[in-house]
Amino acid sequence: MDLFSRTNLLIFVLVAVSFFLLLSGVRALRLGSRTIYFRHRRQRVLAGWWMTGASLLLAVVALLLYRARIPILAPEPTVTAVIVSPVVVTPSRTPTSTPRPGRTMTATATSTATPHLPISLEIMVVSSVTPQSSAVISNIRFSEALDDNYPIGNRFEFTNPILRMYASFAYSHMTYGAQFTVLWFRNGELVFFESGPWKSGGRGGASVKWEPALQEWHQGEYEVQFFVGTQWKATGRFTLRGNPPTPTFTPTSSPTWTSSPPPSATPSATPTR
């Protein structure tokens, strides 16, 4: 059975077919050479060469299989009988309980879910232009100022007070008129968003800005998510340290009005004669 469970069976079949084709090809060549008519002779010679070539090809395949020794059928698994001897346990007169070791639960970190647009914002995506699925947003950089549309520096930690924040990025395969949405989060809470049609080219660099009031720059972890249509493309993060400045109110002088009671009339008696 081992002889036929491996490549030898296929090799034998290939060799037999190759030998049969070789005999048929030689016979066709001989008959073709004896045929008087040109058309019949050409057909038989051509068929003879085709069969001879196929015979040589099958022979080469059989030789390669023989050298490779690739099994065609997996060998039958060997079943090993395992004899289990019974174990007799004799209970002790004074059984002692052995404390079981406590189980330690190990928490496995799961991957973060892919960001998605909130439903309240997704219904606002009403663009009639379908964006390309191959659109890419990459190389996100944060800075407090721009120099000719280029970010000044590339930092991920900032300290209060700051006035504004630019998120610069590179893009490619963008579609003019497709909906483009940017979400700003602070400690996981949405604090700002902007959405509108894309009004630039298909490849290049751009930036978005958030400029709230000075006292609204609270410290924490900030996250900026970019969406093209309703599909998330990229996320950038930065950290802000320190408390924002407290707004001060300068009192202004205003005129003070004081009211005084009207003079009371004193009745005077007029003497009569």
Side-chain angles (χ1 to χ4, degrees):
M1 293 301 296
D2 184 71
L3 177 64
F4 296 98
S5 63
R6 296 183 179 275
T7 318
N8 295 335
L9 178 61
L10 180 60
I11 293 176
F12 290 155
V13 172
L14 292 177
V15 170
V17 175
S18 175
F19 184 73
F20 175 76
L21 289 177
L22 180 62
L23 292 181
S24 300
V26 173
R27 183 172 179 273
L29 290 174
R30 289 181 179 179
L31 292 177
S33 61
R34 298 175 184 176
T35 302
I36 301 176
Y37 299 101
F38 173 78
R39 180 180 298 177
H40 292 172
R41 182 170 67 249
R42 184 178 62 179
Q43 291 177 352
R44 291 184 177 180
V45 170
L46 184 61
W49 282 117
W50 271 105
M51 287 186 287
T52 304
S55 171
L56 295 177
L57 179 61
L58 291 178
V60 171
V61 173
L63 179 61
L64 293 177
L65 289 177
Y66 179 79
R67 296 187 61 181
R69 290 288 182 176
I70 303 176
I72 300 303
L73 298 176
E76 297 180 357
T78 303
V79 180
T80 304
V82 179
I83 302 175
V84 181
S85 59
V87 178
V88 179
V89 179
T90 303
S92 176
R93 292 184 179 180
T94 56
T96 57
S97 60
T98 304
R100 297 181 179 179
R103 298 182 180 179
T104 304
M105 302 299 293
T106 304
T108 304
T110 58
S111 58
T112 306
T114 303
H116 61 279
L117 283 175
I119 299 179
S120 57
L121 297 181
E122 187 174 350
I123 60 177
M124 298 175 58
V125 181
V126 294
S127 175
S128 59
V129 178
T130 302
Q132 302 183 53
S133 60
S134 58
V136 176
I137 302 294
S138 61
N139 194 23
I140 302 173
R141 304 172 64 181
F142 295 99
S143 61
E144 298 180 59
L146 298 179
D147 182 12
D148 194 16
N149 290 330
Y150 288 95
I152 300 177
N154 183 21
R155 298 161 54 194
F156 297 96
E157 287 192 5
F158 299 86
T159 305
N160 266 317
I162 62 175
L163 298 177
R164 63 188 63 87
M165 183 62 65
Y166 291 93
S168 304
F169 57 92
Y171 61 88
S172 60
H173 303 286
M174 294 292 288
T175 304
Y176 186 87
Q179 195 78 9
F180 180 71
T181 306
V182 183
L183 307 181
W184 294 73
F185 293 86
R186 178 176 56 235
N187 298 329
E189 180 183 359
L190 181 64
V191 292
F192 178 72
F193 76 93
E194 55 180 334
S195 182
W198 183 257
K199 297 181 180 180
S200 185
R203 182 183 183 91
S207 62
V208 293
K209 179 183 67 171
W210 184 35
E211 189 175 7
L214 190 64
Q215 65 273 11
E216 292 183 12
W217 280 110
H218 300 286
Q219 62 178 345
E221 302 295 330
Y222 286 78
E223 183 176 291
V224 183
Q225 299 177 1
F226 296 85
F227 293 83
V228 178
T230 58
Q231 186 178 9
W232 168 79
K233 292 300 179 180
T235 297
R237 299 176 179 87
F238 67 92
T239 303
L240 181 60
R241 308 289 185 186
N243 294 321
T246 303
T248 57
F249 298 95
T250 304
T252 57
S253 59
S254 58
T256 303
W257 302 90
T258 58
S259 59
S260 58
S264 58
T266 303
S268 59
T270 304
T272 59
R273 291 182 182 182

